[in-house]
Each structure stands twice: as structure tokens, then as C-alpha cells.
Amino acid sequence: MPVDPATFAEALRQYAAGVCLLTVRDDIDDVGTTVTSVMSVSAQPPLVAVGLTAGGYPAEVLEEVGRCALTVLAAEHAIVASRFSSAGRPSARHLLESVPWQRAGDSEAIVLDSGLAALDCRLERLVGAGDHVLALLEVTGVPVLARGGAPLVRLRGRYVDETGSLAGRA
């Protein structure tokens, strides 16, 4: 008997996940999206995997450009996460007008200065996975490493801090 998609989605909402901002710089603009499907794959070589919607613009641009950055968001970034998860969002730079950021050295993608960590990445390959693709990324640098701070977490459809309280709205 097949699993009901609504039941499947509700079950996965029970899983708390860290929140990252994936950004790509292409020749035209900066593209960004909020991601919660991030996992460490290997320490040697340093690899992470990120789940992206198949056929979505961020996956398309990442495949074309071949480089990106991931910022691990702090609890204070709940508004940033919401902005980048909305449909029809404008350029990443416009969504970050009041948030200090820099460009990662290798990918030249945006990373937040106040993130808990940021990874500069090169696309190893995209792997189809149902209605998503897994982007296997080789980490080429760590331009931000805070070594502390409260993480932003997604749980039951809401952004919360590590205690489960609604995350800050800075």
C-alpha cells in the first residue's frame, strides 16, 4: 500500500533540521534559497549533499555555474530564511540589504558575516531523487566560522531556536 503524501509530509515535519542559505553567483545576478536538507557526506575529501527541488531555478543555476556557497543560519536569521523560501523572490542582494555579507573566495557567492559557518563549494554532481535533486558539493573553503551561537532550526513548519522557541526576527 502506498504511503499517503500528506502523512509522509507530516511525519517529516517532526524532524528538526538546521537551516542554511544556499547562494549562487552567475553572470546576471545572485540567486539564493533556504535549504534544510543538508548533510555531511565525507571528511576526506570534504563533501556535503544538499536537496533542491528538481527543475527549480536554484538547481538550474547551480548546475550551469558549478559553484555555490552555504551559510549555516543563526537563530537571528529567521526573517532571512523566510525571505529566501518565498516564491518569486528578487535578487539575493536585495533580500540582504540590512544584513552584512561578503563573497566567498572561490565561488564568489554571498555568505552572511553573522552566520554560524559558511562553506564555499564546487558542484561535484547532481543526482536525481524523485521530485528533488541531490547536489553533491565539494567544500573548497570555510570563509565564516563563528564557533558558537544559537542555530536556526526548522521544526513542524516553523523556524525555532535550539530550545524550540520561535526564532528571533532580526
Side-chain angles (χ1 to χ4, degrees), residues 24-92:
V24 179
R25 181 178 190 180
D26 70 5
D27 292 335
I28 300 167
D29 208 348
D30 291 282
V31 175
T33 189
T34 303
V35 292
T36 55
S37 299
V38 178
M39 74 176 221
S40 173
V41 174
S42 170
Q44 198 55 266
L47 297 171
V48 295
V50 176
L52 298 169
T53 303
Y57 190 61
E60 178 185 321
V61 173
L62 175 58
E63 184 173 29
E64 182 179 310
V65 172
R67 296 191 180 279
C68 68
L70 281 170
T71 300
V72 178
L73 297 180
E76 67 190 57
H77 296 129
I79 290 290
V80 170
S82 293
R83 288 177 186 163
F84 279 92
S85 64
S86 301
R89 55 195 168 272
S91 162

Side-chain angles (χ1 to χ4, degrees), residues 115-153:
L116 300 182
L119 306 176
D120 201 4
C121 302
R122 182 185 61 80
L123 178 63
E124 182 72 25
R125 68 179 163 269
L126 289 177
V127 178
D131 59 359
H132 278 64
V133 294
L134 293 177
L136 187 60
L137 305 170
E138 178 184 3
V139 178
T140 60
V142 181
V144 174
L145 185 56
R147 301 188 194 271
L152 182 62
V153 176

